[in-house]
Structure formats: structure tokens, C-alpha cells
């Protein structure tokens, strides 16, 4: 089990620590609902240093990225980021990721913690163009400072105007007394804020100064459990739940990050799937009666026949109702379609809705 540079800090704060993707991570401090509300109304800080970071550089960097990723990275300008996925050869997804263009011929790929080795091996296997690759995952930490008060609370820590960093943009500058920090706005919560990438040796200083600066704004540390409820209220996919090696980006609703003006891994098959409509689709749903949908619960039709499975589900802290996502036959995927979630012995009626669940 690996520790992040802040694991002892979380333990000292009384966090409940759990194994996650091979790391010792804080799942909660005060409680999921309190932490969730903190991010929705004020500002909270996640240690997500378990995420992976790959540096791809050199004259063939873009060529490799274009080949392995579904989105069109040629559209990236310096200071901009892009959500994308790594398709496999069989119609599924190796991982979803964010690609940052740091400078000409230099890109940072941020991948999921559980997939670091798998992603590295996959991209390396496709690197017949001579792009330079470096795995920085063990050396860098990542803090997500999220919530409507994040910008105001953190502005004193940098000479840059945080309010000017638009969604999916970033800068490299000073923060909390550290130089050359990446400050990005690629949040996973739907409540604004930004992320800080710095070296492991720097992150404790950053953490301490962040909490000093945020003291008057109700800042709190937030665990992974609230991160999950926050992202689910936005309808954001979680790798390993809503997308994996067996789910295509088209059926997962990620056709918008598949740009068929270029060739990439399995692009011909994915293009054909998009043109002919997939057999199943990932839908968002809310329960019409009280209950909590959970990952792995069956989705059934009105006759009780199993038609799908819940990939993510929870009791929404913001809305006070059961919400979830899951794969169903395309005929059941239209908004307002009626499905049923098998919660123990009861089939609870649910309605297919358009994400996000939380509208802000």
C-alpha cells in the first residue's frame, strides 16, 4: 500500500483511511453529507495525489497522442486542457484522461490511479514514432480545491488572477510560495475551483497555506466518498464503474470526445457504431420512490426482466433522492423512459433523466 505525501496529515486530521487503487487514501473526515455540502456551498480540498501523470514530449509527441486518444489534441493551445479517452482494440476503453498542452511538443497526460501501469504499457506499446515518455506519477502531488468560494479564498496565494482561468484552461505560475505550479480548472465536482500540481516535497507547504488562506471561508478537507457523490450528481463517468475495457465510448455517451476527422485506435469501428446507434446506452436515472441504488444492482423492466445494471448510484446529498447511472437497451434510453431498480426484493420505479442531476 502506497502513501501520498500527505497520508500522515490526513491521519492526524482524523480521516478514515481506506485502500484505493493501491494507495492509502482518506475516504471521509466528518461525514459524506457534510463534506459534500461544504464543496457545494463553500470550499473543500481533496488530496488526489494518487492520480497518474505522464509527460509526453518531443517532435513526435502529438503524433503519439493523436494515435492513442480519441479527441483531437491538435486543437489544443498552450494553456488549454482536453478531456479524452484511450480506446482499446476491442471497442472498449483503456482509460479516460485529461491532456494538458504545457508548451510546443510537450504534453501532460493525467490518468486514473488504478490504471497507471496499464495506461503506461498501453501507450508505450503504441509508441513506434519515437515520442519521449516520462512517468512522473511517483514524484508529483495533486490537490483539488473545489467550491464556489475557492477562487476568492485562494487568491491571496498567487500573483495570478484565478478568476481568469476558464474551465479546461490552466496556467503555470506561483502558488503558496512555490514557483512553477500548474493551476488548472478541470474540476470533477460541478462547483467550480481548480487543481494544483506540485512536487511531493512541496505539497505539505501548499496544503498548510491553503488551509490558512481558506480559514475565513469555511474550508475543510474532503474525502473520496464525497468526491464520488459530487461527480455522480454531475453525471460524470468514473472509470471502473461507468466505463471500462468492455464499454465503448459511444454507448457511454462519450461520442463527443471521439473526433473522426483523424485516425486513432479502433476509430473505424467506433465511427460505424456511432452511425448505426449502439445496442445499449449509459443513462442517468432518478428513483421515483424512496430507496438507494447501488453499483451492481439490476435494472429491470415492468415485467421484472433484467435489462441492465447500475454502474453508479447513491442518495444524492444535494437533492435528497436516489440517483444513478447504468446501461440499458437503447429503446429504454430516452429521457422520461420508465425503468425499475431492483433494490433487494423490491423493484423501485425510476425515470431516465438528462444529466446533470445537480443544476447548481
Amino acid at each position: 500500500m502506497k502513501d501520498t505525501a500527505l497520508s500522515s496529515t490526513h491521519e492526524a486530521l482524523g480521516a478514515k483511511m481506506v485502500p484505493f487503487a493501491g494507495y492509502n487514501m482518506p475516504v471521509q473526515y466528518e461525514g459524506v453529507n457534510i463534506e459534500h455540502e461544504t464543496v457545494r456551498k463553500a470550499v473543500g480540498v481533496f488530496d488526489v495525489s494518487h492520480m497518474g501523470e505522464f509527460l509526453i514530449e518531443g517532435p513526435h509527441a502529438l503524433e503519439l497522442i493523436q494515435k492513442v486518444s480519441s479527441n483531437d489534441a491538435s486543437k489544443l493551445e498552450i494553456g488549454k486542457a482536453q478531456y479524452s479517452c484511450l480506446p482499446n482494440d476491442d471497442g472498449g476503453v483503456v482509460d479516460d484522461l485529461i491532456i494538458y498542452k504545457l508548451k510546443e511538443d510537450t504534453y501532460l497526460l493525467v490518468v486514473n490511479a488504478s490504471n497507471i501501469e496499464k495506461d503506461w504499457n498501453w501507450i508505450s506499446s503504441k509508441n513506434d514514432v519515437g515520442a519521449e515518455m516520462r512517468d512522473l506519477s511517483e514524484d508529483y502531488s495533486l490537490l483539488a480545491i473545489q467550491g464556489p468560494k475557492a477562487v476568492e479564498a485562494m487568491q491571496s496565494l498567487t500573483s495570478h488572477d484565478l478568476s481568469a482561468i476558464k474551465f479546461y484552461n490552466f496556467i503555470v505560475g506561483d502558488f503558496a510560495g512555490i514557483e512553477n505550479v500548474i493551476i488548472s480548472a478541470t474540476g470533477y465536482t460541478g462547483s467550480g475551483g481548480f487543481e494544483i500540481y506540485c512536487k511531493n516535497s512541496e505539497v505539505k507547504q501548499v496544503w498548510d497555506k491553503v488551509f490558512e488562506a481558506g480559514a475565513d471561508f469555511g474550508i475543510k478537507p474532503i474525502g473520496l466518498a464525497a468526491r464520488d457523490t459530487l461527480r455522480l450528481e454531475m453525471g460524470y463517468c468514473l472509470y471502473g464503474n461507468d466505463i471500462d475495457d468492455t464499454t465503448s465510448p459511444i454507448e457511454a455517451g462519450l461520442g463527443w470526445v471521439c473526433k473522426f476527422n483523424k485516425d486513432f485506435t479502433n476509430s473505424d469501428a467506433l465511427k460505424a457504431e456511432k452511425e448505426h446507434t449502439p445496442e445499449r446506452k449509459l443513462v442517468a436515472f432518478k428513483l421515483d420512490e424512496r430507496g438507494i441504488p447501488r453499483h451492481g444492482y439490476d435494472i429491470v423492466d415492468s415485467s421484472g426482466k433484467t435489462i441492465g445494471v447500475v454502474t453508479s448510484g447513491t442518495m444524492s446529498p444535494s437533492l435528497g433522492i436516489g440517483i444513478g447511472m447504468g446501461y440499458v437497451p437503447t429503446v429504454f434510453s430516452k429521457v422520461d423512459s420508465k425503468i425499475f431498480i431492483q433494490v433487494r426484493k423490491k423493484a423501485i420505479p425510476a425515470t431516465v433523466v438528462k444529466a446533470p442531476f445537480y443544476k447548481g
Side-chain angles (χ1 to χ4, degrees), residues 45-104:
V45 185
F46 303 84
D47 176 15
V48 282
S49 302
H50 59 319
M51 299 290 281
E53 294 89 15
F54 304 155
L55 197 68
I56 311 289
E57 54 190 341
H60 301 290
L62 180 60
E63 187 179 350
L64 174 61
I65 290 167
Q66 288 288 71
K67 185 161 68 165
V68 298
S69 67
S70 62
N71 211 333
D72 186 0
S74 71
K75 301 291 189 197
L76 279 173
E77 301 169 9
I78 296 169
K80 292 189 180 296
Q82 182 183 78
Y83 179 67
S84 190
C85 72
L86 304 173
N88 63 26
D89 291 320
D90 306 312
V93 179
V94 177
D95 203 2
D96 62 337
L97 75 164
I98 299 176
I99 301 168
Y100 294 80
K101 185 169 183 178
L102 299 179
K103 44 193 178 186
E104 286 304 326

Side-chain angles (χ1 to χ4, degrees), residues 122 240 312 351 357:
W122 176 258
S312 290
T351 303
F357 299 97

